[in-house]
Amino acid sequence: MTAIQVNGLTRSHQGFEAVKGISFEVAEGEIFALLGRNGAGKTTTVEVLAGFGRADGGRVRVLGLDPHTDRAALRRRTGIMLQEAGFFPDLTVAQTVDTWRDFTAAPRPRDEALGLAGLTGRAATKVRQLSGGEKRRLDLALALLGRPEVLFLDEPTTGMDPEARSSTWDVVRGLAAQGTTILLTTHYLEEAQRLASTMAIMDEGEIVASGGMAETLAPRGGRVAFRLPAHVDPGDLPLPVTVEGGHAVCRAEDPDLASQTLLTWAAERGLRLAGLEVRTATLEDLFLDLQRSAR
Amino acid sequence: MSLAATYRLGTRLFWRDKAMLFASVITPVGLAVGMPLLMRHMTTGGVAAATSIFHGTLAILLSITAFMNIAVALTNRRDQLVLKRLRASELTDGQILTGQIASTATQTLAMIVVCAVAVRLAAGVPLPANPLAFLGVAAAGSAVLSLLGAAYTAAIPRAELAGVYTMPVFLVCGVSAGAMGPIPLPSWLREVLDLLPTTAVVDAVKTGDLAGPVLILTSWAMAGLVAIKLWFRWEPRRS
C-alpha cells in the first residue's frame, strides 16, 4: 500500500517556483531518499508533506490524508525532524523530551527516546550547551516520541560526527524494519545509498532521476580516473571510458573492481596508469553525469 | 490535555527567563507598588493620590506583564523557529496560542492581585469595594491584553525590535490611564484614548461601572482574534 503520494506538486515562495510539478510515491515501510543539492526544493517538498505549507498545485496525500487540511489528524501518525527548528535553550534535554511527551497522546518513555537518539548521557545538559550534532539527535528523539507510522527526516545527520551518523542510520533502519515509512532528504549520496531502497534526485525544483536505488545508481556508483597513456586509444581499454581533459574516466558500480581490471590490463601491456584516482561517486558527480546524459 | 501542557510550558518559561522577569515582573510591580507608596500622604481633588495612581498603574501592569511579555516571547520563539517546532508536534495552532495566552494572562492577574494587596498594606489603598467585579475585569483585561500582544507580533519584523515596537503601546496606555500623573490632553484625544482596553479596565476599577468597559474589551478581543487569524506568523519572514 502507498503511504505517500505526490502528484504534480508545485509550490512557490514569493514568486520563486521552488517545486515544479514533481511526482513520486513511497510504499508503506519503505525508506525513500530525496536527494539534491542545497536549494533543490527538498525542504519545500517535505514542508508541504508535513502540512506546514499548502501545495500551490498538484495533489499530495500522506496515509490517504491531505497534510494541510487534515494536519491535526496526521500529526498523531507522523514524526517530523525539521532541517531547521529551535529549542527552548534553558531547558535540559530531559525536560525538553518531557515537555514534548506532554504534547503527545501515547509517547515513548523518556529514557527509550533518549536511548534511541543516543542522548542518554546528556539528559541533564541544557539544550544551549549541546553541539549541533547533538541538537539533531534531540530533534530525532522528539520526532520518534509518538511512534510515527510515517517519519520525515530533513537532512537528519547534518552536523553529526561519523559515530553519531552511523548510529542514526542504525535507528532509521530499525524503524523501517518495524514498518515505519521513512522519507529522508539528504545531500549525502552515501547516506541515501546506505539507507534507502528507492530515491528521487531533485534539481532546481524538478525530479531529474528516480527509481530503485540500485538501478538508478548502478552505472554511476563510482569512478576511476587516470591519465590516458600515450598512443592508447580509449576504445582499446577493457572498460568504457570518457575522455575529459586528457584523463580517461570510467564510471562503474564498483570502482574498486573496475580499477583492478584496468590495472591488470595495463600491467599485461607494460603500461602505467598515471594519476590513478578511485572513488565512490559524490552527489556532484551524479549531477554532472546526469547533465552529461541529458546532452 | 495538550492545552494544559502548553499552559504549563508557558508558565514555566515565564518564570525562567531572568531578563524578561526584570522587565515583566520587577519593573511593573515596582511601579505599581512604589508609586502609591511614595504618594501615600497626598490627596488630589479629595481623592487619595495613592489610590488614583494605583488604579492608573494597572494599565502599566497590563501593557507590560501581559502585552509586552507575550509579544516579546512569541516573537523570539517565532524567529528562533521554536513555534515551528511546536507545530511539528501533535499540538494544534489553537492549543499553542491559547495555552500561551492563558498562561500570560494568569501571571498578569496574579501580579495585579499581589499589587492590590501590597498597596493596601503599604500605602493604605483600599481594597476594591466589589472584589469579584475587580477580579473579573482584571482577568478579562489580562486575557485581552495577552491576546492583543500575540496578535501584535505580526507587526514586529524581528525579535530584536520587539521591545522597541511595544514601548509606544506601554507609553500610550500609561499616559491614558493616568499612571504617569495627570497629563492634560485634548478632549478629542481623551475620547480616543478612553477606548483603549487598558483604560477600560482602569475606568471599571475606578467607577465600578462594568457595561462600557466590558463592551470595549469584547471589541478588542474580537479585533485581536481576527488579526491573529489574518496575520499571525509562525515563522520569520524568509527575506
Side-chain angles (χ1 to χ4, degrees):
Chain A
M1 191 172 157
T2 306
I4 300 172
Q5 286 177 302
V6 177
N7 196 356
L9 169 66
T10 58
R11 169 88 172 151
S12 298
H13 295 299
Q14 295 167 342
F16 172 72
E17 200 174 9
V19 178
K20 304 172 183 171
I22 64 169
S23 302
F24 62 87
E25 289 191 352
V26 184
E28 263 182 22
E30 187 174 61
I31 305 181
F32 179 89
L34 203 51
L35 272 160
R37 294 179 284 198
N38 291 335
K42 309 184 298 292
T43 294
T44 304
T45 303
V46 169
E47 293 200 343
V48 172
L49 287 169
F52 286 112
R54 190 190 290 275
D56 294 335
R59 188 173 186 272
V60 174
R61 290 290 180 271
V62 176
L63 298 171
L65 299 170
D66 182 318
H68 194 261
T69 55
D70 303 319
R71 191 156 64 93
L74 209 48
R75 279 286 185 272
R76 289 190 282 276
R77 302 171 66 189
T78 55
I80 306 162
M81 187 175 173
L82 295 160
Q83 185 180 356
E84 261 192 318
F87 294 99
F88 295 108
D90 291 325
L91 298 185
T92 65
V93 167
Q95 287 167 339
T96 301
V97 172
D98 285 343
T99 300
W100 256 254
R101 291 184 75 247
D102 275 352
F103 302 155
T104 308
R108 289 179 196 271
R110 181 221 290 167
D111 291 345
E112 183 184 329
L114 290 179
L116 276 170
L119 281 173
T120 304
R122 302 290 275 163
T125 306
K126 281 194 173 177
V127 170
R128 69 166 73 247
Q129 294 165 334
L130 295 179
S131 68
E134 286 171 330
K135 283 181 183 163
R136 298 301 287 147
R137 284 149 69 185
L138 178 55
D139 212 338
L140 180 65
L142 301 185
L144 300 178
L145 271 181
R147 296 185 175 85
E149 293 169 55
V150 174
L151 187 59
F152 298 107
L153 304 174
D154 195 2
E155 304 281 357
T157 62
T158 301
M160 287 187 187
D161 57 48
E163 191 183 342
R165 177 171 294 169
S166 177
S167 66
T168 301
W169 289 346
D170 289 341
V171 171
V172 172
R173 282 193 207 99
L175 291 165
Q178 291 163 27
T180 308
T181 306
I182 297 166
L183 185 148
L184 76 99
T185 77
T186 182
H187 57 265
Y188 298 124
L189 187 56
E190 185 196 4
E191 183 161 275
Q193 283 175 304
R194 285 180 181 254
L195 292 177
S197 52
T198 53
M199 53 96 89
I201 300 175
M202 283 190 80
D203 190 34
E204 295 182 354
E206 295 177 327
I207 289 179
V208 291
S210 64
M213 182 63 69
E215 306 90 82
T216 310
L217 292 182
R220 306 179 176 102
R223 51 180 267 155
V224 182
F226 52 93
R227 268 203 300 281
L228 193 62
H231 313 302
V232 170
D233 188 295
D236 294 339
L237 293 167
L239 295 170
V241 298
T242 54
V243 179
E244 299 168 12
H247 278 71
V249 179
C250 172
R251 288 176 179 76
E253 184 179 1
D254 184 342
D256 295 328
L257 182 61
S259 66
Q260 283 172 22
T261 307
L262 287 161
L263 285 167
T264 305
W265 175 89
E268 285 169 354
R269 287 156 183 76
L271 296 170
R272 181 165 171 265
L273 301 183
L276 183 76
E277 184 188 270
V278 183
R279 64 183 170 89
T280 52
T282 64
L283 194 57
E284 283 304 313
D285 294 329
L286 203 58
F287 276 108
L288 290 173
D289 203 30
L290 285 165
Q291 284 164 1
R292 198 175 296 111
S293 308
R295 282 200 291 268
Chain B
M1 165 105 179
S2 292
L3 187 58
T6 54
Y7 177 88
R8 280 197 300 274
L9 175 66
T11 305
R12 181 183 213 170
L13 295 170
F14 182 94
W15 294 104
R16 257 176 188 263
D17 187 337
K18 291 185 179 63
M20 279 297 284
L21 271 185
F22 187 80
S24 304
V25 176
I26 295 172
T27 302
V29 169
L31 287 170
V33 177
M35 286 168 68
L37 189 59
L38 288 173
M39 297 180 181
R40 65 188 181 281
H41 301 305
M42 294 167 60
T43 55
T44 315
V47 180
T51 303
S52 178
I53 201 79
F54 173 66
H55 290 158
T57 56
L58 292 177
I60 290 181
L61 279 161
L62 290 168
S63 59
I64 295 183
T65 310
F67 186 90
M68 188 196 79
N69 179 282
I70 198 169
V72 172
L74 285 179
T75 311
N76 273 322
R77 288 174 209 165
R78 176 191 73 195
D79 286 14
Q80 291 165 2
L81 296 171
V82 174
L83 292 183
K84 185 174 183 179
R85 181 181 297 286
L86 287 170
R87 292 183 92 206
S89 71
E90 292 183 20
L91 296 172
T92 63
D93 293 352
Q95 287 169 337
I96 296 170
L97 281 185
T98 309
Q100 181 60 53
I101 289 168
S103 165
T104 306
T106 307
Q107 315 315 313
T108 308
L109 179 62
M111 294 298 122
I112 290 173
V113 171
V114 166
C115 289
V117 173
V119 293
R120 169 71 188 88
L121 298 173
V125 174
L127 288 171
N130 183 344
L132 273 183
F134 174 79
L135 279 176
V137 80
S142 301
V144 170
L145 266 293
S146 302
L147 174 72
L148 291 172
Y152 190 68
T153 57
I156 303 172
R158 298 193 307 278
E160 60 266 33
L161 295 176
V164 177
Y165 269 67
T166 49
M167 187 57 72
V169 176
F170 153 69
L171 287 174
V172 170
C173 290
V175 167
S176 169
M180 286 139 189
I183 298 174
L185 297 170
S187 59
W188 64 268
L189 184 57
R190 179 74 267 162
E191 284 174 18
V192 171
L193 294 179
D194 281 348
L195 297 174
L196 289 174
T198 43
T199 314
V201 172
V202 173
D203 285 348
V205 171
K206 271 183 180 167
T207 64
D209 173 30
L210 295 179
V214 167
L215 184 64
I216 291 173
L217 288 175
T218 306
S219 304
W220 279 104
M222 302 292 281
L225 287 171
V226 171
I228 286 177
K229 183 80 181 162
L230 290 178
W231 299 303
F232 189 82
R233 284 187 286 124
W234 292 94
E235 295 177 41
R237 289 200 178 98
R238 285 172 190 255
S239 58

